[in-house]
């Protein structure tokens, strides 16, 4: 059953050759066409002395020149010090046949990674060439110091598969034979439950497969004393089954991508040339292809190639291979990159897409220095956080494209990079708000609904400035670490500190963030291109309101003009602020500063759409300043709304003035004038119930008629300058007992031309009424 396959606690041992899954022998492999073999790289990771190398030895049938701790130093110290490479070949699993129908066999290359804390650089260096991770845990000790760091590295490989959400982490609980027979099953069950809880809660893995195995029954001492090679093992076939069932199709780019080859060893062969062993990161290479060594500025032609001692004519992404070139001194390079000429540049700095590692306990801030591991190189770099990506605030929205040459080989904007990073190109025109700290959770991002909050920290754009320039291709995996730190913070299922369920207390995780190099950065030319700004805000107060208007459309009473104070000093030159936008604090109405008002620092604001703000309410001047702008110009994103005209209302003050004026006129007029000539502002009973607006005769036009009256009056006060008066043509106007009709606008100040059929006798300054509807 599957349960028996996951964890087996029986004491019986099986021979390493007794595999229901047929592992091809080296003789059978030679008969296969190399072009028919698909290669995947499985990283074997775990804490030091967990039995990784013994497990690799048990599984492997093909050994490279760098495998099973062949170096003299590794043998002397009894531990893995460098990446080791070996392989086994099986028939192509059914799960891969649909996508790789042209292949007949699967070569599983096992990348044996060192487990000591001081060798984390080496583990990171091998991460970008790995398709899947086999995490080895000593079942007698459980979770140990480097287990958490290995989990972090494993997470970076999730998106190397099309369906990363279904990728399982395979855990080999090694050395089960050393557990007491009595209670072995319960011990493994409890350990697997604790590990599964930790991994599922703290990582992106959606499932965990546990297999209890013994790479060497009796332990390493038995293996060291055996020379026959026929060591007893336990449950290895179950591990192979789990690996093949859960193996997802490896992600491969198009063959026309630039050739990038990660070199991990280099040695001479007398009479043939220099051999470079490594893994193809992208593209293809053939015999006679020209490759470049960027760090040496040297180009050489490929003389021959091998894959695990088998001659081949072509190698592709993911292949583990040896490349032979002539006239090249092996002492010049130990690790590095070989590539298509001109495709790998020297980077002094780079724009990166990164996210924080959840296991990392400390804050990550702008200006801090980190150990940056890229390829097989680890250098110090200074971090500058640019800001969140658009996908951090709107997961369905991608970034805009740019001319990044590395991105030209990928057209799908939803395609993922390693580490669960969506493929985004850096947009140099994007504005970034100044941000001091890398956010731990997307729940801290403003505007993100709770339903969209990811379990992973949000993505950030960042700038890395290397203390020592590095040669590496764009899109390379990077991991930022604090390798100088060492704490005793326990790694548990709780984000802060240990829990009662913690399997073990481990050293604090030193891996701070991970991501990809996206774009080269040149400090001389690109410093001013990155737009980092700090949001600023000044607050004033509305000290006076303009005339009230009934806004067309919603009949809301608004002001189109208000006067503000407390925003500027009296000696401030207002010319630089004219045209800037201000907002009301409560309703968010946007207005434009049109001029100063008086000499005490007050100012006049026009609201094209009107505002219902009141005296005493705050007025906000919002702007942003860019970090590299020496002139400190104030930039604004606010846009004034479209004009929404209205009709001016008579204010209470005007009503009192008008009544007082009419009263004074009545007192000084002779009785005959009162009886024969009514007041110019009087309205008879027939006009009661009519909605009216008040205006004033500004001037009289036309030749005087026979009756001594003027045919036309220019009236002001009915409309604001924004109103289209042509739409009001035909409206009735009353001035005393004389009726007129609006015929046209006059000027641009809201005045209108009113024609009186029988003439108008009222003098300049007389009040008029605009009839909005016909009298009842």
């Amino acid at each position: 059953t599957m349960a028996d396959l996951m964890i087996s606690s029986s004491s019986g041992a099986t021979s390493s050759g007794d595999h229901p899954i047929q592992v091809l022998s080296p003789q059978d492999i030679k008969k296969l066409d190399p072009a028919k073999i698909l290669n995947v790289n499985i990283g074997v990771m775990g804490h030091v002395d967990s039995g990784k190398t013994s497990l690799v030895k048990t599984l492997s049938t093909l050994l490279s020149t760098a495998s099973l701790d062949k170096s003299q130093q590794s043998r002397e110290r009894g531990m893995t010090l460098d990446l080791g490479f070996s392989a086994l070949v099986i028939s192509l699993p059914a799960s891969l046949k649909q996508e790789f129908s042209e292949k007949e066999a699967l070569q599983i290359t096992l990348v044996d990674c060192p487990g000591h804390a001081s060798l984390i650089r080496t583990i990171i260096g091998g991460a970008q060439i790995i398709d899947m991770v086999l995490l080895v845990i000593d079942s007698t000790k459980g979770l140990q110091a480097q287990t958490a760091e290995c989990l972090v590295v494993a997470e970076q490989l999730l998106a190397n598969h099309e369906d990363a959400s279904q990728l399982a982490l395979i855990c080999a609980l090694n050395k089960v034979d050393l557990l007491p027979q009595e209670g072995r099953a319960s011990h493994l069950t409890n350990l697997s439950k604790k590990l599964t809880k930790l991994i599922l809660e703290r990582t992106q893995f959606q499932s965990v497969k546990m297999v209890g195995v013994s790479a060497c029954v009796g332990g390493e001492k038995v293996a060291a004393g055996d020379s026959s090679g026929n060591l007893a093992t336990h449950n290895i076939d179950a591990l192979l089954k789990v690996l093949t069932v859960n193996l997802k199709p490896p992600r491969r780019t198009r063959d026309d991508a630039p050739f990038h080859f990660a070199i991990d060893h280099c040695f001479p062969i007398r009479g043939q040339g220099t051999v470079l062993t490594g893994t193809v990161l992208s593209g293809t290479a053939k015999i006679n292809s020209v490759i470049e060594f960027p760090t040496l500025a040297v180009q050489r032609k490929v003389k021959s190639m091998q894959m695990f001692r088998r001659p081949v004519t072509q190698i592709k992404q993911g292949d583990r291979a040896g490349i032979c070139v002539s006239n090249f001194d092996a002492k010049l390079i130990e690790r590095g990159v070989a590539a298509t000429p001109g495709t790998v540049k020297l980077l002094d700095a780079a724009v990166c897409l990164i996210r924080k590692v959840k296991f990392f306990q400390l804050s990550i801030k702008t200006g801090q220095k980190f150990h940056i591991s890229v390829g097989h190189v680890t250098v110090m770099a200074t971090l500058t956080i640019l800001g969140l990506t658009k996908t951090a605030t709107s997961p369905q929205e991608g970034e805009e494209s740019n001319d990044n040459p590395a991105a030209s080989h990928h057209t799908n904007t939803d395609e993922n990079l390693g580490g669960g990073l969506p493929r985004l190109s850096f947009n140099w025109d994007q504005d970034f708000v100044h941000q001091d700290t890398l956010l731990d959770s997307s729940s801290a991002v403003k505007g993100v609904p709770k339903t969209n909050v990811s379990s992973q920290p949000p993505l950030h754009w960042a700038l890395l400035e290397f203390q020592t320039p590095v040669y590496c291709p764009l899109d390379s995996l990077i991991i930022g670490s604090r390798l100088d730190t060492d704490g005793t913070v326990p790694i548990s299922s709780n984000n802060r500190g240990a829990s009662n369920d913690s399997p073990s207390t481990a050293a604090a995780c030193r891996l701070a963030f991970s991501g990809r190099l996206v774009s080269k950065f040149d400090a001389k030319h690109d410093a001013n291109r990155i737009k980092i700004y700090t949001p600023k805000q000044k607050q004033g107060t509305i000290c006076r309101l303009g005339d009230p208007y009934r806004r067309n459309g919603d009949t809301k009473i608004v002001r189109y003009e208000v006067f503000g104070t407390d925003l500027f000093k009296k000696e401030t030159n207002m010319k630089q602020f004219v045209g800037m936008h201000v907002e009301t604090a409560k309703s968010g109405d946007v207005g434009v500063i049109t001029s100063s008002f008086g000499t005490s620092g007050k100012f006049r604001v026009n609201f094209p759409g009107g505002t219902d703000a009141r005296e005493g309410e705050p007025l906000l001047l919002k702007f942003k300043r860019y970090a590299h702008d020496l002139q400190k110009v104030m930039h604004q994103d606010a846009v004034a709304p479209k004009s929404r005209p209205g009709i001016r209302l008579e204010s209470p003050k005007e009503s009192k003035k008008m009544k007082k004026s009419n009263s004074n006129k009545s007192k000084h007029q002779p009785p005959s004038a009162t009886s024969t000539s009514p007041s110019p502002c009087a309205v008879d009973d027939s006009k009661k119930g009519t909605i009216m607006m008040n205006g004033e005769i500004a001037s009289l036009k036309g030749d005087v008629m026979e009756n001594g009256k003027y045919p036309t009056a220019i009236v002001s006060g009915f409309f604001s300058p924004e109103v289209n008066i042509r739409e009001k043509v035909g409206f009735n106007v009353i001035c005393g007992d004389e009726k007129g009709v609006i015929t046209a606008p006059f000027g641009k100040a809201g005045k209108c031309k009113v024609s009186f059929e029988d003439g108008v006798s009222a003098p300049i300054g007389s009040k008029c009424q605009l009839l909005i509807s016909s009298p009842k």
Side-chain angles (χ1 to χ4, degrees):
T1 65
M2 185 58 69
D4 294 330
L5 190 65
M6 294 301 98
I7 299 179
S8 175
S9 58
S10 64
S11 59
T14 60
S15 168
S16 60
D18 184 17
H19 295 320
I21 292 181
Q22 185 63 42
V23 179
L24 302 183
S25 66
Q27 292 75 22
D28 294 332
I29 296 173
K30 290 181 180 180
K31 299 176 183 178
L32 294 174
D33 180 359
K36 299 288 186 180
I37 301 176
L38 173 67
N39 182 76
V40 295
N41 301 304
I42 296 182
V44 184
M45 300 181 183
H47 190 82
V48 64
D49 291 333
S50 59
K52 298 184 302 298
T53 302
S54 297
L55 184 59
V56 168
K57 181 177 180 181
T58 300
L59 293 171
S60 302
T61 57
L62 298 174
L63 304 179
S64 72
T65 55
S67 63
L68 307 182
D69 297 341
K70 284 189 175 181
S71 70
Q72 182 178 354
Q73 191 177 9
S74 292
R75 294 183 181 276
E76 289 175 355
R77 297 181 60 179
M79 59 187 293
T80 302
L81 299 178
D82 204 350
L83 298 176
F85 297 88
S86 57
L88 66 150
V89 179
I90 62 175
S91 298
L92 191 70
S95 60
L96 301 179
K97 286 183 178 179
Q98 183 175 357
E99 185 163 347
F100 300 96
S101 57
E102 75 283 2
K103 304 294 184 180
E104 296 178 355
L106 174 67
Q107 176 176 280
I108 300 176
T109 298
L110 301 172
V111 184
D112 185 10
C113 300
H116 196 273
S118 62
L119 302 173
I120 189 66
R121 292 179 175 87
T122 305
I123 300 176
I124 297 171
Q128 62 180 339
I129 64 174
I130 295 173
D131 298 306
M132 189 176 180
V133 172
L134 173 61
L135 184 63
V136 182
I137 298 174
D138 188 337
S139 61
T140 65
K141 298 178 181 178
L143 184 67
Q144 294 177 273
Q146 265 52 65
T147 309
E149 290 186 342
C150 291
L151 277 172
V152 173
V153 174
E155 273 195 290
Q156 314 316 310
L157 316 173
L158 273 176
N160 284 343
H161 304 267
E162 290 186 358
D163 192 5
S165 63
Q166 301 301 316
L167 183 62
L169 175 66
I170 311 300
C171 290
L173 304 181
N174 198 16
K175 303 183 182 182
V176 296
D177 63 294
L178 300 182
L179 296 172
Q181 177 66 32
E182 184 179 352
R184 179 183 298 175
S186 61
H187 175 87
L188 290 175
T189 300
N190 291 334
L191 177 59
S192 65
K193 286 182 179 179
K194 291 178 180 179
L195 290 173
T196 300
K197 181 181 179 181
L198 166 68
I199 294 169
L200 293 183
E201 288 185 359
R202 298 296 306 277
T203 70
Q204 299 179 67
F205 291 104
Q206 301 299 308
S207 62
V208 182
K209 309 297 182 183
M210 301 280 181
V211 185
V213 299
S214 288
C216 174
V217 175
E220 281 75 9
K221 292 183 179 180
V222 174
D226 181 82
S227 59
S228 63
N230 296 321
L231 295 173
T233 62
H234 172 75
N235 219 27
I236 296 299
D237 184 55
L239 178 60
L240 274 175
K241 285 183 179 179
V242 173
L243 284 174
T244 54
V245 168
N246 292 280
L247 191 63
K248 301 297 181 182
R251 243 178 105 258
R252 301 292 184 247
T253 56
R254 301 203 311 254
D255 292 343
D256 60 351
F259 176 70
H260 294 145
F261 185 74
I263 303 170
D264 49 59
H265 293 89
C266 182
F267 54 90
I269 297 181
R270 183 176 297 178
Q272 296 188 32
T274 299
V275 175
L276 314 163
T277 62
T279 304
V280 182
L281 301 179
S282 67
T284 62
K286 301 178 181 179
I287 294 177
N288 293 326
S289 295
V290 176
I291 59 175
E292 181 183 40
F293 301 92
T295 56
L296 304 173
V298 171
Q299 296 183 9
R300 290 292 183 267
K301 186 178 290 187
V302 176
K303 186 178 179 181
S304 62
M305 296 184 291
Q306 288 188 357
M307 292 175 57
F308 288 99
R309 306 179 191 275
R310 304 189 310 273
V312 294
T313 58
Q314 178 177 279
I315 54 176
K316 297 183 178 181
Q317 183 185 22
D319 287 343
R320 173 71 189 173
I323 298 176
C324 182
V325 296
S326 58
N327 299 323
F328 186 78
D329 187 354
K331 296 179 181 180
L332 294 177
I333 189 171
E334 182 180 1
R335 286 184 172 169
V337 176
T340 301
T343 60
V344 176
K345 304 294 185 181
L346 181 66
L347 299 181
D348 295 292
V351 175
C352 309
L353 186 65
I354 65 172
R355 66 157 43 105
K356 186 176 181 180
V357 171
K358 290 197 296 183
F359 284 97
F360 190 70
Q361 302 288 329
L362 305 176
S363 297
I364 300 176
K365 298 182 178 180
T366 288
Q368 288 182 333
K369 296 183 185 298
F370 291 89
H371 295 89
I372 303 299
S373 297
V374 51
H376 294 296
V377 178
T378 298
V379 297
M380 294 296 293
T382 302
L383 174 72
T384 300
I385 301 169
L386 301 183
L388 292 164
T389 64
K390 290 182 180 179
T391 52
T393 54
S394 53
Q396 303 301 321
E397 183 181 0
E399 304 285 344
E400 297 179 21
S401 303
N402 70 353
D403 56 355
N404 178 0
S408 62
H409 301 284
H410 309 277
T411 56
N412 184 2
T413 57
D414 294 328
E415 186 179 1
N416 283 345
L417 298 174
L421 304 176
R423 178 169 294 283
L424 304 176
S425 296
F426 184 69
N427 180 11
W428 292 92
D429 295 326
Q430 182 178 348
D431 284 1
F432 296 99
V433 62
H434 176 76
Q435 184 177 324
D436 285 325
T437 306
L438 214 61
L439 298 182
D440 298 83
S441 171
S442 57
S443 62
V445 182
K446 293 182 179 180
V448 177
K450 292 184 178 180
T451 54
N452 288 341
V453 173
S454 170
S455 61
Q456 292 300 309
L459 294 168
H460 292 75
W461 290 112
L463 174 65
L464 288 176
E465 298 174 86
F466 303 111
Q467 286 190 358
T468 303
V470 295
Y471 280 97
C472 60
L474 294 178
D475 279 354
S476 293
L477 172 69
I478 59 170
I479 294 182
S481 314
R482 292 295 297 271
L483 301 180
D484 54 338
T485 61
D486 185 20
T488 56
V489 180
I491 303 299
S492 69
S493 59
N494 192 312
N495 282 348
R496 300 289 181 189
S499 69
N500 295 331
D501 295 332
S502 178
S504 176
T505 299
C509 179
R510 297 168 296 167
L511 277 60
F513 58 87
S514 63
R516 292 272 173 170
L517 297 179
V518 175
S519 181
K520 182 179 179 180
F521 179 85
D522 187 335
K524 293 183 179 179
H525 301 95
D526 298 332
N528 293 328
R529 294 181 64 193
I530 293 184
K531 301 177 181 178
I532 303 176
Y533 69 89
T534 302
K536 302 277 188 179
Q537 178 177 295
K538 291 186 176 183
Q539 180 173 316
T541 306
I542 296 176
C543 63
R544 178 177 170 183
L545 300 175
D547 294 337
Y549 286 78
R550 179 176 281 107
R551 188 165 58 192
N552 295 343
D554 59 3
T555 67
K556 191 174 184 180
I557 306 301
V558 296
R559 264 78 173 179
Y560 292 103
E561 189 174 60
V562 302
F563 302 86
T565 186
D566 300 334
L567 197 58
F568 309 108
K569 298 178 180 179
K570 63 179 182 180
E571 60 268 18
T572 301
N573 182 5
M574 286 296 299
K575 289 184 179 180
Q576 60 181 324
F577 295 100
V578 171
M580 296 195 72
H581 298 88
V582 293
E583 299 178 21
T584 58
K586 290 186 177 181
S587 56
D589 297 326
V590 179
V592 182
I593 298 175
T594 56
S595 67
S596 58
F597 183 72
T599 59
S600 60
K602 296 180 180 179
F603 54 95
R604 189 191 307 262
V605 182
N606 174 258
F607 288 85
T611 180
D612 59 355
R614 296 291 180 260
E615 287 187 22
E617 288 188 14
L619 271 179
L620 305 178
L621 176 66
K622 297 180 179 180
F623 60 96
K624 55 188 181 182
R625 281 202 173 111
Y626 290 97
H628 299 288
D629 185 2
L630 299 179
Q631 297 180 350
K632 297 184 177 182
V633 176
M634 301 168 68
H635 298 267
Q636 290 188 303
D637 293 327
V639 178
K642 293 183 179 179
S643 175
R644 297 182 63 185
I647 298 174
R648 183 176 177 276
L649 300 176
E650 181 183 278
S651 66
K653 292 182 179 180
E654 287 180 331
S655 297
K656 290 180 180 179
K657 281 185 178 181
M658 184 178 69
K659 290 179 180 179
K660 187 175 182 180
S661 175
N662 291 341
S663 175
N664 291 334
K665 287 182 179 179
S666 299
K667 292 178 180 179
H668 292 90
Q669 280 183 342
S672 59
T674 305
S675 59
T676 59
S677 178
S679 168
C681 295
V683 180
D684 61 29
D685 291 339
S686 66
K687 301 179 185 65
K688 289 182 179 179
T690 302
I691 302 174
M692 294 181 289
M693 300 293 292
N694 293 313
E696 183 179 281
I697 296 178
S699 61
L700 298 170
K701 299 290 183 180
D703 297 331
V704 179
M705 302 171 65
E706 293 181 359
N707 58 9
K709 301 179 180 181
Y710 286 89
T712 303
I714 305 302
V715 180
S716 64
F718 286 158
F719 309 109
S720 63
E722 296 85 3
V723 176
N724 185 1
I725 297 178
R726 298 185 189 279
E727 297 178 355
K728 313 300 180 183
V729 171
F731 276 46
N732 294 323
V733 175
I734 295 177
C735 188
D737 283 344
E738 297 164 335
K739 295 182 179 180
V741 177
I742 295 177
T743 57
F746 185 82
K748 298 181 179 180
K751 296 179 182 179
C752 61
K753 184 182 295 185
V754 180
S755 295
F756 293 83
E757 184 177 355
D758 295 327
V760 59
S761 61
I764 295 174
S766 299
K767 299 294 181 179
C768 301
Q769 289 80 39
L770 171 68
L771 301 185
I772 306 301
S773 61
S774 58
K776 293 181 180 180

